């Protein structure tokens, strides 16, 4: 069976689209989020999308299957906020490990059912990427304007939270670990450290790491102030399978940054932009054909190896993207000269 490296050398791979956008279509209420198990929880749970892995797993699996049918090669687990620091907003810290295991298993089941429906011999292998989000607390910035030296969380606390999440994802059966939507590289470095520590502690076979940052505006910097080149330099020690950008920008605005990244990265590159920029109501209006057109241009220019969608994108966006890049060669990896020293 082909592994992900084999496929990346053959063609541009497709990562799925937005999970939150799809969940919104179900118009779930408080009782749906809590289910029977959490019906009398001490705080409101509506909006805790990751909890749906426990209370509405059929919905999450259904969304995964829609993305597979649209052409996705890589499914992201529904675990963007599934570590105890972020789950503390809902007083659900102790559920972090359980949610991650459940999310990974749901994605695996979706792939198994999809493959069975289409025949395992007629489709390339599909992969589950354990989604590791940026956390709702940052190590580089103070939340208190009157005390710039203050931090709401410590490096060790971030590492421990990510370690627990990684443990759940790996035990649930993911193929890859995706550290994504990075606005603070120090948080990402804590996640990378936690990944390395987990595999060192358990002596398990390491999984490939995908890393995806977020450029927040036209300046080309992350929220914590790094340029794209500085960001890449900060994480390249982890020897990632891929490095890329997602969220914050639409494909049109992301183009120059993806071009720059494609020129400096020695690994594969990924890009999954939003469906344009949000309108005055915070909604995304860019049509699937438009998003796909922008990404097709990047592919023809040789900028990318993995593409998909972030906020506002749907299976229709992914279907158009997959169709538009199907016959375009992936970006070639640069030849890295070995040091003679």
């Amino acid at each position: 069976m082909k592994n992900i490296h084999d496929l990346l050398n053959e063609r541009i791979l497709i990562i799925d689209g937005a999970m939150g956008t799809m969940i919104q279509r179900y118009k779930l209420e408080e009782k749906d989020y809590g289910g029977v198990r959490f019906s009398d929880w001490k705080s409101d749970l509506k909006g805790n999308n990751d909890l749906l892995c426990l209370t509405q797993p059929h919905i999450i699996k259904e969304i995964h299957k829609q993305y597979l049918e649209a052409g996705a090669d890589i499914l992201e687990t529904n675990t963007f906020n599934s570590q105890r620091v972020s789950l503390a907003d809902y007083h659900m810290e102790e559920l972090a490990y359980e949610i991650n295991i459940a999310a990974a298993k749901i994605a695996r089941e979706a792939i198994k059912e999809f493959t069975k429906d289409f025949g395992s011999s007629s489709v390339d292998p599909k992969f589950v990427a354990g989604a590791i989000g940026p956390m709702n607390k940052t190590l580089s910035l103070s939340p208190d304007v009157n005390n710039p030296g203050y931090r709401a969380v410590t490096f060790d606390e971030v590492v421990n939270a990510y370690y627990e999440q990684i443990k759940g994802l790996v035990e649930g059966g993911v193929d890859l670990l995706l550290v994504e939507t990075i606005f603070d590289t120090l948080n990402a470095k804590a996640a990378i450290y936690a990944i390395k520590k987990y595999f060192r502690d358990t002596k398990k076979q390491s999984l490939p790491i995908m890393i995806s940052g977020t450029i927040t505006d036209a300046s080309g910097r992350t929220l914590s102030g790094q340029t794209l080149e500085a960001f890449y330099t900060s994480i390249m020690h982890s020897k990632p399978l891929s490095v890329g950008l997602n969220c914050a920008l639409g494909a049109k605005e992301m183009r120059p940054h993806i071009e720059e990244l494609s020129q400096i990265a020695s690994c594969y590159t990924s890009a999954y932009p939003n469906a344009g920029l949000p309108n005055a109501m915070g909604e995304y209006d860019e049509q699937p054909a438009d998003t796909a057109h922008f990404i097709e241009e990047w592919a023809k220019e040789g900028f990318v190896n993995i593409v998909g969608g972030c906020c506002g994108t749907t299976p229709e966006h992914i279907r158009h993207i997959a169709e538009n890049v199907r016959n375009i060669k992936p970006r070639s990896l640069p030849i890295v000269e070995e040091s003679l020293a």
Side-chain angles (χ1 to χ4, degrees), residues 182-185 213-231 245 248-249 257 260:
I182 299 163
F183 62 85
D184 179 356
T185 310
T214 294
I215 299 297
T216 53
D217 55 37
S219 70
R221 293 175 181 266
T222 63
L223 185 64
S224 55
Q226 276 192 313
T227 63
L228 187 54
E229 185 173 7
F231 165 71
L245 297 174
L249 303 175
H257 309 305
E260 179 186 355

Side-chain angles (χ1 to χ4, degrees), residues 176-239:
L176 316 160
L177 291 168
L178 170 59
V179 184
E180 65 170 344
T181 322
I182 299 163
F183 62 85
D184 179 356
T185 310
L186 193 52
N187 281 42
K189 288 170 81 73
I192 292 166
Y193 177 76
I195 291 169
K196 300 292 186 182
K197 185 176 188 301
Y198 173 79
F199 288 112
R200 187 169 63 246
D201 290 349
T202 61
K203 296 180 171 56
K204 292 182 178 180
Q205 178 68 39
S206 297
L207 296 180
I209 303 172
M210 298 173 66
I211 295 177
S212 185
T214 294
I215 299 297
T216 53
D217 55 37
S219 70
R221 293 175 181 266
T222 63
L223 185 64
S224 55
Q226 276 192 313
T227 63
L228 187 54
E229 185 173 7
F231 165 71
Y232 175 69
T233 302
S234 297
I235 55 86
M236 64 184 292
H237 69 280
S238 66
K239 296 181 171 58

